[in-house]
């Protein structure tokens, strides 16, 4: 496997944890990771504090913080990880690109960019 695509369209931190865990595993297998944040999933890339109350019991049991996992995936991956904020969603929600954390986002692009990456990916997963 050379590349996987991961669509993150849910604002649930559990889904982010699953997506980033899959990304970390892919990196250990020398597989590039293309993360596409769209719709509610785009909230994971917003600057500022994140609400972890829905996963607090899991965090208390030892699950890593999903936002730390995302930070680490991007830091560890270097050029092997592409993290895209969907510009179509930004436009629909009337959010400014300045609201998105530049440390978590390597690219701003729309559906065409995702479809091109998905065409090259060996597998595409959705969370």
């Amino acid at each position: 496997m050379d590349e996987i695509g991961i669509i993150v369209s849910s604002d649930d931190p559990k889904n982010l944890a699953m997506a980033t865990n899959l990304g970390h595993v892919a990196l250990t297998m020398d597989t590039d990771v293309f993360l596409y944040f769209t719709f509610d999933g785009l909230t994971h890339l917003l600057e500022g504090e994140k609400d972890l109350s829905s996963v607090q019991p899991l965090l208390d049991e030892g699950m890593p913080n999903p936002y730390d996992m995302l930070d680490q995936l991007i830091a560890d991956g270097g050029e092997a990880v592409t993290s895209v904020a969907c510009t179509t969603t930004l436009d629909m929600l009337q959010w400014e690109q300045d609201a998105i954390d530049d440390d978590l986002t390597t690219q701003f692009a729309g559906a065409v960019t995702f479809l091109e990456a998905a065409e090259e990916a060996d597998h595409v997963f959705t969370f």
Side-chain angles (χ1 to χ4, degrees), residues 34-54:
F34 186 90
L35 294 161
Y36 188 73
F37 291 87
T38 189
F39 292 102
D40 294 338
L42 198 56
T43 61
H44 297 303
L45 299 181
L46 291 174
E47 290 187 333
E49 281 296 311
K50 308 295 191 237
D51 179 11
L52 292 168
S53 59
S54 68

Side-chain angles (χ1 to χ4, degrees), residues 96-115:
E96 297 296 323
Q97 284 187 8
D98 293 348
I100 302 297
D101 189 337
D102 289 335
D103 292 334
L104 300 176
T105 309
T106 61
Q107 190 175 2
F108 289 90
V112 171
T113 298
F114 169 74
L115 290 174

Side-chain angles (χ1 to χ4, degrees), residues 1-112:
M1 215 176 344
D2 295 321
E3 181 177 22
I4 63 168
I6 301 173
I7 302 169
V8 181
S9 61
S10 168
D11 61 357
D12 186 339
K14 285 187 289 189
N15 287 5
L16 179 62
M18 290 185 290
T20 55
N21 184 57
L22 187 64
H24 281 283
V25 171
L27 288 180
T28 66
M29 299 172 66
D30 294 322
T31 300
D32 291 349
V33 178
F34 186 90
L35 294 161
Y36 188 73
F37 291 87
T38 189
F39 292 102
D40 294 338
L42 198 56
T43 61
H44 297 303
L45 299 181
L46 291 174
E47 290 187 333
E49 281 296 311
K50 308 295 191 237
D51 179 11
L52 292 168
S53 59
S54 68
V55 293
Q56 193 58 54
L58 296 171
L59 296 172
D60 292 343
E61 292 297 320
M63 181 182 94
N65 179 318
Y67 297 101
D68 293 345
M69 293 171 67
L70 177 59
D71 288 339
Q72 196 65 49
L73 175 62
I74 292 168
D76 288 349
E79 291 184 20
V81 174
T82 303
S83 174
V84 179
C86 177
T87 53
T88 305
T89 301
L90 285 170
D91 291 344
M92 287 186 332
L93 298 175
Q94 298 180 355
W95 291 356
E96 297 296 323
Q97 284 187 8
D98 293 348
I100 302 297
D101 189 337
D102 289 335
D103 292 334
L104 300 176
T105 309
T106 61
Q107 190 175 2
F108 289 90
V112 171

